Structure formats: C-alpha cells, structure tokens
Amino acid sequence: MKVRILVSFKDSVLDPQGQTVKNALLTLGYGFVRDVRQGKVFELDLEGVSEDEARRLVPEIASKVLANPIIETFVWDILA
Amino acid sequence: MKVRILVSFKDSVLDPQGQTVKNALLTLGYGFVRDVRQGKVFELDLEGVSEDEARRLVPEIASKVLANPIIETFVWDILA
C-alpha cells in the first residue's frame, strides 16, 4: 500500500523558504503570486498493511518521525 | 486561487533523505516500511488568475523555479 503524507508549517509559523520562493517569483515577473508556503511530502510504500492498520500507523509515524507537532501539521491519504 | 505543486525526484534518482527516513523507521520497529521517497510541496496563492491561465502559468513556474527538470518531476492541482 502506498500512502502520501504532506507536512507543512502551521499557519502561525513563519516560512522563510516559502518567502524566498515568493520573492524569487515576484522578481521574475510573476506578480500575481500572493503567497507561497513550502513543505515536505513523503511517499511510503508499506508491505502487508491493511487499510485499518494504516489508519492507525501512518498518523503515528507522521507525528513521531516525519513532522514536528509543535510547529508542523500533516495530512495524509492512501494512494493505492 | 490556491494551487499545490508536488516536486519529487525521478524514480531513477537516488533519494538519500528518503533512505534515511526509511532506516529510521526500520530502527524504530516499523519493519513493514518497504520504501520512502521524500519530496517538496509548494502551496501557491495566486491573485486574479483564471483556471486557464493557471494551467499555463503553474507548469511554467514549476519547471523554471520550483523543480529541477533534470532530476525532478512535478504534479500539481488546483485546491480552491
């Protein structure tokens, strides 16, 4: 089973990478870009895991290993 | 309009960050993790851009600024 986890900063946390990308885009003439937020994506290939088990294990993995719950949030879904 | 762009290494490109995360998960007892690939996610807020314009501009921005087409691929969609 493949799952995808998106990890991004909480809205209240500054995102300097996103700001840098936004400024680059404005400099390049893409003036319609109002905001950019950058985050991480993880695609995990899980072996012999049922959908029910994934619903328990993936949030555990995401909050323990992939994201820092103090400053980041995550969303995830099953790809296949 | 908000769009989300996922940038990941091409399958043929080694992903040391993903391997490190995989090894960490195996060490922590998540032995069912067969593979991990790590990438980047960008959420762009675009002002006054129609859907047709977005379909032209977002791939241009992604391939020129957000991704390195030699080693990375991207997918994107419209969030709202």
Side-chain angles (χ1 to χ4, degrees):
Chain A
M1 174 186 295
K2 291 204 174 190
V3 300
R4 176 184 286 154
I5 301 130
L6 300 180
V7 177
S8 53
F9 285 124
K10 290 180 182 177
D11 285 342
S12 56
V13 176
L14 288 175
D15 175 8
Q17 285 187 100
Q19 283 302 303
T20 301
V21 172
K22 178 191 165 185
N23 292 337
L25 290 173
L26 296 182
T27 302
L28 289 167
Y30 300 108
F32 52 83
V33 177
R34 187 155 38 186
D35 195 29
V36 177
R37 302 285 287 180
Q38 181 171 348
K40 292 173 284 186
V41 53
F42 298 90
E43 289 186 6
L44 273 59
D45 187 3
L46 309 179
E47 191 164 16
V49 170
S50 70
E51 192 170 323
D52 277 356
E53 288 170 322
R55 293 198 185 285
R56 181 174 62 81
L57 290 165
V58 174
E60 182 182 307
I61 287 174
S63 58
K64 278 173 65 175
V65 181
L66 306 180
N68 175 350
I70 296 174
I71 56 170
E72 293 172 324
T73 59
F74 67 89
V75 293
W76 72 281
D77 51 38
I78 293 171
L79 295 181
Chain B
M1 176 187 296
K2 291 204 175 190
V3 300
R4 175 184 287 156
I5 300 131
L6 301 179
V7 177
S8 54
F9 286 123
K10 291 181 182 176
D11 285 342
S12 57
V13 175
L14 289 175
D15 175 9
Q17 285 187 100
Q19 283 302 303
T20 302
V21 172
K22 179 191 164 185
N23 291 337
L25 290 172
L26 296 182
T27 303
L28 289 167
Y30 299 109
F32 53 82
V33 177
R34 189 156 37 188
D35 195 29
V36 177
R37 303 286 287 181
Q38 181 171 348
K40 292 173 283 186
V41 54
F42 297 91
E43 288 186 7
L44 272 60
D45 188 2
L46 309 179
E47 192 164 16
V49 171
S50 71
E51 193 169 322
D52 277 354
E53 289 170 321
R55 292 198 186 285
R56 182 174 62 80
L57 290 165
V58 174
E60 181 181 308
I61 287 174
S63 58
K64 278 173 64 175
V65 182
L66 306 181
N68 174 351
I70 296 173
I71 56 168
E72 293 172 326
T73 59
F74 68 88
V75 294
W76 72 280
D77 51 37
I78 293 171
L79 295 181

